[in-house]
């Protein structure tokens, strides 16, 4: 998990959440959709596309039930207008922004949830005892947050083209969207 997922969570998702905060503050729907599409293409497969869209929709539905006063029309309109997916990171960021959480709280919550989901999913297959599972979640979350703190340097508030270029096929998507 450290080798495969941690760079994905910190380098890609963490920085995307920071950039989404800026785009939401500036009411820049195009940039919100662009970041969402970049997140989606980093994990693209037909199965993942369906799962990603469903997960985002489920999170919006849950958030609407928990926080009926929050406004999701603008996000849903952006996703439709730009044919974006609505990845978990995008929807999670939107919800936390509307709830008034700062960007670091949002990133920490997202990273903790991501670790928890991965461990829970794997423990179903491995039939891991409850006590071991929780200890593993705590330990891995601490390591991930430490990794994020090392990676997150001042001035890295935008989703930089150079960062994306080093990660993978995003420039192709970026060029198509521009």
């Amino acid at each position: 998990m450290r080798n495969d997922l941690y760079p994905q969570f910190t380098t890609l998702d963490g920085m995307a959440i920071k950039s989404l905060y800026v785009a939401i503050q500036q009411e820049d729907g195009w940039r919100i959709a662009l970041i969402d599409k970049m997140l989606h293409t980093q994990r693209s497969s037909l199965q993942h596309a369906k799962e990603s869209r469903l997960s985002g929709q489920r999170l919006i539905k849950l958030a609407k039930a928990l926080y009926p006063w929050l406004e999701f029309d603008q996000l849903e309109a952006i996703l439709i207008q730009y044919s974006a997916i609505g990845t978990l990171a995008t929807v999670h960021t939107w919800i936390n922004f509307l709830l008034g959480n700062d960007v670091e709280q949002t990133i920490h919550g997202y990273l903790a949830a991501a670790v928890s989901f991965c461990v829970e999913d794997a423990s179903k297959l491995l039939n891991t005892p409850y006590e071991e599972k929780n200890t593993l979640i705590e330990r891995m979350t601490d390591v991930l947050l430490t990794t994020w703190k090392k990676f997150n340097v001042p001035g890295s508030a935008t989703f930089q083209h150079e960062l994306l270029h080093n990660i993978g096929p995003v420039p192709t998507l970026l060029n198509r969207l521009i």
Side-chain angles (χ1 to χ4, degrees):
M1 187 168 171
R2 283 183 185 151
N3 293 337
D4 294 333
L5 296 180
Y6 278 13
Q8 185 83 29
F9 291 146
T10 56
T11 306
L12 186 62
D13 295 356
M15 294 307 293
I17 290 170
K18 285 182 76 169
S19 294
L20 282 164
Y21 255 78
V22 173
I24 293 168
Q25 287 170 337
Q26 295 173 351
E27 298 182 13
D28 188 345
W30 182 82
R31 191 164 16 146
I32 292 167
L34 177 65
I35 295 166
D36 185 71
K37 288 180 178 188
M38 288 178 190
L39 286 168
H40 171 67
T41 60
Q42 290 304 308
R43 299 177 185 99
S44 69
S45 73
L46 184 56
Q47 182 64 24
H48 178 75
K50 292 176 183 177
E51 290 173 6
S52 185
R53 186 179 303 272
L54 279 174
S55 295
Q57 289 172 345
R58 287 179 185 144
L59 184 55
I60 289 173
K61 186 176 179 178
L62 175 63
K64 284 180 177 181
L66 293 173
Y67 312 108
W69 61 89
L70 293 183
E71 179 59 47
F72 289 94
D73 292 345
Q74 184 180 5
L75 175 62
E76 291 171 324
I78 289 167
L79 298 176
I80 291 168
Q81 179 181 357
Y82 296 105
S83 301
I85 295 293
T87 63
L88 283 176
T90 302
V91 176
H92 176 86
T93 303
W94 186 270
I95 293 166
N96 278 272
F97 180 85
L98 293 180
L99 289 173
N101 294 327
D102 68 36
V103 68
E104 285 303 312
Q105 288 174 309
T106 301
I107 292 169
H108 287 207
Y110 179 82
L111 297 176
V115 169
S116 181
F117 176 78
C118 290
V119 171
E120 288 287 341
D121 204 36
S123 71
K124 289 176 188 173
L125 298 172
L126 301 172
N127 200 20
T128 309
Y130 181 78
E131 303 80 29
E132 290 179 28
K133 183 172 49 175
N134 285 340
T135 303
L136 182 60
I137 289 171
E138 287 176 27
R139 189 176 70 230
M140 294 183 90
T141 299
D142 287 344
V143 171
L144 184 58
L145 291 174
T146 300
T147 303
W148 167 249
K149 288 175 186 173
K150 288 178 185 174
F151 178 76
N152 182 29
V153 294
S156 60
T158 57
F159 211 44
Q160 300 168 357
H161 180 70
E162 296 82 20
L163 173 67
L164 295 172
H165 182 69
N166 292 332
I167 293 173
V170 175
T172 305
L173 174 64
L174 182 61
N175 291 333
R176 280 189 278 154
L177 291 172
I178 294 175

